[in-house]
Amino acid sequence: MKLTSSDRILLLFTALLASYQVAVGMDGFSALPIIAYTTGFGVLLIAALLIFILGFDVLDSPIVVIVSTVIPLTLSLGLVWQHFASFRISYLVFAITSFLAVALTRSIPMQNKLPVITIAVTHGIAGMTIFLLPIILSIQGLTKPLFSLVGAGGALIGIGGLLLSFLKTGRPILSRNTIMRLFPSLLLVTTALFVAGFKYG
Amino acid sequence: MTALATQSKTVNPSTSLRASLKYKTKLYWPLTKPLQSGLLLATGLAGYMSARCPIFSMGTLLGLAGSLFLAIAGSTVLNMWWDRDIDAKMGRTKKRPTSSGQVTEREVLRLGLILSILGVGWAVAIGASFGLIVFAGLFFDVVIYSMWLKRRTCWGIVWGGISGAMPILAGRALGLGSIDWIGLTLALGVLFWIPTHTLTFSMKFEKDYADACVPTFPSTYGLGVTRATIAISSVLAALMMVIAGYGIGMTWGFLRLLGVLSAGLLMLAVTVTFNPSERVNFSLFKYASIYMLAAMILVVLEVI
């Protein structure tokens, strides 16, 4: 399936938004959230550029499953570190362990359901953290209401990550063509929600 | 009938002149390799802007852009004129106007010389040191690289790289009034970036270069060494750009972004080395161009 001109435009805007977030969207944050968000938005930026250059076929690479877990893990880690001081270390351990588990289960051929379970648990916890935490914080008045946009972005990236992961594991939720048709728009809207949430939240 | 004939006689010459000019421009324009020249021009403009001149002069900026573009385009046309015989043997280049016979050798040489003389002359008029660096770039590219070394040794690309690094050095020197370590680091960044670009190209079109008997890294040292060279030069290019960015006084945010883009370049270079494929080579080739353009935009944005 080939990239259309509109796909390229959407990917370019995604790359620009992610660049903006890395360059100027983290002023005033402490060290670990900056590292975590830079990694997350950096992966988004490079992914958008690589899809722009190589087309959707780049998503067929086996490394995509591993890389696609980096975004929710790093973004959720940054959020927890900033807003849930008591869970900092435990979430950091979870993020590192989950990433290693996904990398390991995707690198070693396995016949059982462990790779799928590992991905589902990782995306599930990280995705729910990005989805729920900003919404709860904004409802409680601890952040501005628009911070909940980060949560909306989290929901979308969680859906995107699961669609891609299950496609890669051979149990697609939607057909490959449908996922690819949706992907550039999903990536742009997700990034835009994150950037807007962090800026105005 | 006579009146019509007279009218057509008076109208036709200007129409045919316009058509001829349009046709020639259409033929000449690709000879300047607009994308490559544009990218090198962007490095020159970024070099100038990086100096953070206290007095911003639109005239100087336009002069810099005009003279650099003419000189870069001139040297590119002269290279095409010199390489017309090998271009005709390579599948990738045999349709170029110079090798397909759409333009005569004489007019290509004339065009190259006119553009080069205008570009260097204009550059000298703007500033002596600026003009000297622009001339050095043209000399290294046409005489040292194309005429002397390209058909003798694969190491000729180093001189091609040095000439490619001259626009950014020239721009910085014009803005600053002298050559400083940041200018040299920026130039080294471009110099090390060029193998990432050209060596992936020489791997992709290895057979073409072999048909034309042009020595390349892949044909001389093999693909493994070429890939390792690409990886090392990518690391050095990224390192130089980050050091130069720090020297310019880039904010941490912009340095972070430059670091992310550099990480993408390194990741692709490592993949080319350890898990090579035509596809990864091509993506590195394309990404390297985007990387350099993005780095130059960051330098300019930082100053604005």
Side-chain angles (χ1 to χ4, degrees):
Chain A
M1 191 177 169
K2 281 192 169 182
L3 278 179
T4 63
S5 302
S6 58
D7 287 337
R8 286 185 193 281
I9 292 168
L10 292 172
L11 289 165
L12 198 61
F13 274 108
T14 304
L16 287 173
L17 278 173
S19 300
Y20 169 85
Q21 188 62 25
V22 171
V24 292
M26 303 171 203
D27 294 343
F29 291 1
S30 60
L32 194 126
I34 286 179
I35 294 168
Y37 294 140
T38 300
T39 309
F41 284 101
V43 171
L44 264 175
L45 166 59
I46 303 292
L49 286 178
L50 287 181
I51 299 171
F52 183 88
I53 294 169
L54 290 171
F56 290 123
D57 292 348
V58 77
L59 296 172
D60 292 333
S61 167
I63 205 168
V64 165
V65 178
I66 301 169
V67 174
S68 69
T69 59
V70 172
I71 301 169
L73 279 176
T74 50
L75 295 186
S76 58
L77 175 62
L79 285 170
V80 169
W81 200 272
Q82 280 187 302
H83 301 286
F84 250 131
S86 53
F87 282 93
R88 280 178 179 178
I89 300 301
S90 47
Y91 199 87
L92 179 64
V93 171
F94 161 75
I96 293 169
T97 313
S98 302
F99 177 72
L100 292 176
V102 170
L104 204 68
T105 51
R106 298 307 304 171
S107 308
I108 302 166
M110 290 181 187
Q111 295 299 319
N112 55 29
K113 289 184 175 177
L114 190 62
V116 178
I117 294 169
T118 310
I119 285 168
V121 170
T122 302
H123 275 283
I125 295 176
M128 289 305 274
T129 306
I130 307 174
F131 173 53
L132 290 175
L133 193 58
I135 293 172
I136 292 168
L137 288 170
S138 55
I139 288 171
Q140 288 179 339
L142 295 170
T143 59
K144 289 180 186 170
L146 285 178
F147 192 57
S148 56
L149 291 177
V150 175
L156 285 184
I157 204 158
I159 293 168
L162 284 172
L163 287 176
L164 269 185
S165 300
F166 280 95
L167 178 69
K168 298 298 298 177
T169 53
R171 296 172 175 80
I173 298 166
L174 292 174
S175 72
R176 185 181 190 278
N177 274 0
T178 310
I179 294 173
M180 297 307 154
R181 215 170 38 235
L182 290 173
F183 201 73
S185 312
L186 190 73
L187 213 54
L188 176 61
V189 176
T190 302
T191 313
L193 287 170
F194 282 143
V195 173
F198 279 115
K199 185 169 175 61
Y200 301 110
Chain B
M1 195 62 187
T2 318
L4 266 175
T6 313
Q7 195 182 17
S8 72
K9 267 181 193 168
T10 53
V11 170
N12 275 346
S14 67
T15 315
S16 69
L17 183 68
R18 262 205 310 273
S20 167
L21 269 175
K22 200 175 163 185
Y23 178 68
K24 288 289 179 192
T25 311
K26 208 173 161 184
L27 284 178
Y28 289 164
W29 183 243
L31 296 178
T32 63
K33 291 190 185 169
L35 278 177
Q36 183 186 296
S37 297
L39 189 55
L40 288 173
L41 175 62
T43 66
L45 289 170
Y48 176 71
M49 301 287 278
S50 74
R52 298 171 190 261
C53 313
I55 301 164
F56 181 81
S57 160
M58 189 50 89
T60 310
L61 194 66
L62 285 175
L64 169 91
S67 62
L68 265 183
F69 185 77
L70 288 172
I72 295 165
S75 70
T76 308
V77 174
L78 287 176
N79 281 343
M80 283 216 197
W81 169 75
W82 183 258
D83 287 339
R84 62 196 181 281
D85 57 331
I86 53 175
D87 281 351
K89 293 177 190 166
M90 294 166 62
R92 181 177 65 85
T93 51
K94 68 182 174 195
K95 284 184 182 164
R96 280 179 179 167
T98 39
S99 30
S100 62
Q102 289 170 286
V103 286
T104 65
E105 294 171 17
R106 202 184 171 83
E107 64 181 314
V108 177
L109 175 62
R110 212 160 39 205
L111 176 70
L113 286 174
I114 289 170
L115 291 174
S116 301
I117 291 167
L118 281 176
V120 174
W122 193 356
V124 171
I126 292 170
S129 59
F130 172 66
L132 186 66
I133 299 170
V134 171
F135 173 73
L138 192 137
F139 182 78
F140 288 146
D141 193 33
V142 179
V143 180
I144 307 286
Y145 170 60
S146 284
M147 293 180 171
W148 183 27
L149 296 174
K150 185 173 178 179
R151 299 172 196 224
R152 289 179 170 82
T153 167
C154 62
W155 288 96
I157 60 156
V158 174
W159 290 94
I162 291 173
S163 76
M166 288 298 120
I168 199 164
L169 185 64
R172 173 95 185 162
L174 179 65
L176 210 63
S178 62
I179 294 173
D180 67 342
W181 73 270
I182 296 171
L184 290 171
T185 312
L186 283 168
L188 282 173
V190 177
L191 171 65
F192 288 124
W193 163 78
I194 284 175
T196 305
H197 196 77
T198 54
L199 292 187
T200 46
F201 211 64
S202 66
M203 283 200 290
K204 186 174 166 74
F205 297 103
E206 193 181 354
K207 192 182 169 299
D208 269 11
Y209 285 105
D211 289 345
C213 299
V214 175
T216 59
F217 259 71
S219 65
T220 311
Y221 298 108
L223 290 174
V225 172
T226 307
R227 288 187 192 112
T229 310
I230 290 171
I232 292 167
S233 66
S234 300
V235 172
L236 292 172
L239 190 67
M240 291 301 146
M241 293 312 295
V242 172
I243 292 172
Y246 180 76
I248 289 164
M250 266 190 186
T251 57
W252 280 112
F254 276 41
L255 277 176
R256 267 201 309 271
L257 183 52
L258 193 56
V260 166
L261 292 167
S262 301
L265 186 70
L266 300 183
M267 184 195 71
L268 283 171
V270 169
T271 312
V272 163
T273 310
F274 296 107
N275 191 16
S277 70
E278 176 114 350
R279 200 166 177 72
V280 180
N281 284 359
F282 176 72
S283 63
L284 177 61
F285 174 76
K286 287 279 180 191
Y287 186 89
S289 297
I290 293 176
Y291 173 80
M292 188 46 67
L293 185 63
M296 293 305 117
I297 291 171
L298 280 181
V299 169
V300 172
L301 284 178
E302 176 64 48
V303 177
I304 292 171

